[in-house]
Amino acid sequence: MIKLGIIGLGKFGTNILNTYKQLERKGICKLVAICDINEKVLDEQVKKYKTKGYTDYKEMLEKEEFDGIAIATPDPFHKEPVIYCANKKIHVFVEKPLDVTIDGCIEMIEVCKKNNVLLQVDFHKRFDPFHQTIRKDIEQGKIGRIEYGSVHMEDKIIVPRDWFPNWADKSSPVWFLGVHFFDLIRWFLKSNGKKVFAKGIKNKLKLLGINTFDAVKAIVEFENGAIISFELSWILPENFESIVNQGFKLVGEKGIIECDSQDRGTRVCYESVGVMTYNSAFINEVEKFGEIFYSGYGIESIEDFVYNIKYLKEGYKIDDLKNWISAFGQDGLEATKIAVAVHRSIESKKEEEI
Ligand SMILES: NC(=O)c1ccc[n+]([C@@H]2O[C@H](COP(=O)([O-])OP(=O)(O)OC[C@H]3O[C@@H](n4cnc5c(N)ncnc54)[C@H](O)[C@@H]3O)[C@@H](O)[C@H]2O)c1
């Protein structure tokens, strides 16, 4: 039985809770204990998910036994618990971004390597079946050498303003959204970022007292020569058709790929909310005998960590997993390198090396 825990039980930690509880029902794992520094959040989750709770992750790791821990604390607070877990020989699953500094990512990778533990990053866009088909097409050479492309990922303003106003100023549309697509494009191209030129704008959120970028535009040159532009923002109006607007276009010497990663073809209009489009491929809920069952690529990415631990327990090595879909420490580092260089370019007003 795989013994699991979670540190950080907010919005995304709840998705991890639901996933682990679902795997527990299937007899695959046991949710041993959970942790959040916020007592109110912790109490609610402990009651709802009927498990042990701690406000101090160090105490939790001293008192309980785990094979794997998921970390869903705010962006700048992943590193410390990752390193603490790794030194206790516990595999770790980290919400994106791995860390907001390059040194932080490298330290995590080194400590996990030294302790022979898995360091997995939740870049769930790799688990989107539409993206997987595109990757296969690219691998089979259907589009030829990719020359240029564009990506957009834009959240409604409620995300930074209402979901986590207490730490939105420590993040940005680049950290919160951009890293998802930096990783996805790297995964498609099998190539790392080389150079970037970026511009950012601070206006709407700053006026609301949240000192971070509204939007960032970045042009990234990859090592294989592909030039991809990224348009990242989190100020779409509240009545926009979905929580996120996202997609990309890639053009190669033999073809073009266009993907709307949000609107999967369902459009509704209700008097109560107006026009809406859905991405049920992300997280879908259905009820059976009073229990909710979760599916979708957002869930599969979390489950994947548990299955990877299962393989390791069966005798596979961490290196055996490296050609699988999962994103690991090095992938987290490469996405962070692009994000850091984007911010550096905004500051310097020059093209920056990644
Ligand atoms: N994979 C995705 O698509 C996705 C989506 C949203 C958020 N995220 C990422 O998940 C992480 C969490 O985001 P969120 O939206 O759930 O934030 P949130 O603010 O809703 O939740 C974070 C929780 O962590 C707790 N916390 C902070 N420091 C802690 C510590 N030292 N020990 C224990 N608990 C601690 C907070 O009390 C809070 O309850 C972020 O890194 C974010 O970027 C990922």
Side-chain angles (χ1 to χ4, degrees):
M1 181 69 73
I2 298 162
K3 297 184 282 291
L4 298 172
I6 306 170
I7 301 172
L9 309 169
K11 262 208 165 320
F12 221 78
T14 302
N15 290 330
I16 302 175
L17 271 163
N18 289 332
T19 308
Y20 286 179
K21 272 312 221 191
Q22 180 158 297
L23 289 179
E24 190 176 270
R25 284 202 298 271
K26 291 180 181 168
I28 292 165
C29 65
K30 165 96 189 124
L31 181 65
V32 175
I34 56 179
C35 167
D36 199 293
I37 46 171
N38 182 324
E39 277 185 39
K40 188 169 169 281
V41 170
L42 181 70
D43 286 350
E44 280 168 15
Q45 302 288 38
V46 163
K47 274 194 203 108
K48 186 169 167 207
Y49 293 92
K50 299 181 181 58
T51 186
K52 279 193 216 170
Y54 291 85
T55 49
D56 177 356
Y57 71 83
K58 292 182 183 166
E59 187 190 345
M60 176 172 89
L61 296 175
E62 291 307 324
K63 293 196 174 153
E64 310 287 346
E65 254 187 48
F66 298 99
D67 296 303
I69 293 276
I71 290 158
T73 48
D75 290 0
F77 307 121
H78 296 165
K79 188 182 92 177
E80 198 197 299
V82 167
I83 288 177
Y84 204 86
C85 290
N87 280 327
K88 291 207 149 290
K89 314 268 184 232
I90 300 168
H91 301 299
V92 271
F93 179 72
V94 191
E95 270 313 318
K96 55 80 209 167
L98 177 58
D99 189 47
V100 290
T101 68
I102 294 171
D103 287 349
C105 292
I106 292 172
E107 194 182 340
M108 288 175 183
I109 292 169
E110 282 173 356
V111 176
C112 289
K113 195 164 180 212
K114 189 180 87 197
N115 288 288
N116 194 31
V117 297
L118 189 61
L119 174 59
Q120 187 163 335
V121 187
D122 188 12
F123 284 135
H124 55 224
K125 298 213 173 296
R126 294 179 177 215
F127 288 82
D128 184 328
F130 293 79
H131 298 169
Q132 289 179 2
T133 306
I134 288 169
R135 187 166 190 259
K136 262 186 237 150
D137 286 351
I138 295 171
E139 267 187 332
Q140 290 166 6
K142 288 181 181 163
I143 188 175
R145 186 187 142 175
I146 293 171
E147 297 193 357
Y148 71 94
S150 59
V151 168
H152 61 277
M153 188 165 186
E154 301 152 308
D155 270 352
K156 284 198 207 190
I157 193 162
I158 60 167
V159 173
R161 191 196 61 198
D162 305 347
W163 286 12
F164 46 85
N166 53 333
W167 61 271
D169 63 344
K170 295 183 186 62
S171 186
S172 75
V174 180
W175 288 119
F176 196 73
L177 306 172
V179 288
H180 271 305
F181 274 100
F182 298 155
D183 177 71
L184 189 76
I185 297 295
R186 268 192 70 242
W187 191 60
F188 286 158
L189 298 177
K190 296 189 180 166
S191 182
N192 290 327
K194 188 178 169 201
K195 286 182 182 175
V196 62
F197 179 71
K199 285 206 172 261
I201 180 158
K202 287 188 181 181
N203 173 36
K204 198 166 169 171
L205 287 169
K206 209 168 167 194
L207 289 172
L208 295 172
I210 302 172
N211 186 13
T212 186
F213 291 102
D214 288 352
V216 169
K217 270 181 146 217
I219 300 175
V220 179
E221 180 190 338
F222 285 80
E223 280 170 355
N224 69 355
I227 301 161
I228 313 289
S229 64
F230 294 84
E231 203 163 289
L232 310 163
S233 109
W234 49 7
I235 55 150
L236 294 191
E238 274 181 65
N239 52 356
F240 186 70
E241 64 184 46
S242 59
I243 192 76
V244 57
N245 189 34
Q246 54 183 349
F248 57 90
K249 175 176 90 173
L250 296 171
V251 180
E253 55 191 352
K254 289 198 258 172
I256 174 168
I257 294 166
E258 286 183 294
C259 178
D260 190 329
S261 307
Q262 150 56 30
D263 178 359
R264 309 298 170 118
T266 300
R267 183 167 170 268
V268 298
C269 180
Y270 304 130
E271 283 177 4
S272 50
V273 286
V275 174
M276 283 172 65
T277 52
Y278 290 151
N279 175 14
S280 307
F282 177 41
I283 295 181
N284 191 38
E285 300 180 10
V286 286
E287 199 185 311
K288 187 178 178 186
F289 304 132
E291 282 194 83
I292 308 284
F293 285 75
Y294 301 88
S295 61
Y297 65 83
I299 301 297
E300 271 181 58
S301 175
I302 300 167
E303 287 178 342
D304 180 63
F305 172 63
V306 185
Y307 292 122
N308 282 342
I309 296 178
K310 194 163 178 284
Y311 283 120
L312 297 176
K313 278 176 146 303
E314 286 167 4
Y316 285 90
K317 303 275 175 281
I318 290 175
D319 270 359
D320 297 331
L321 297 168
K322 71 171 181 271
N323 290 325
W324 175 238
I325 298 164
S326 334
F328 299 112
Q330 190 64 32
D331 301 303
L333 168 64
E334 294 300 336
T336 288
K337 276 181 169 173
I338 300 176
V340 166
V342 167
H343 288 283
R344 213 183 323 119
S345 173
I346 297 170
E347 277 281 303
S348 70
K349 301 186 169 56
K350 290 186 186 137
E351 186 175 67
E352 292 283 342
E353 300 282 335
I354 291 171

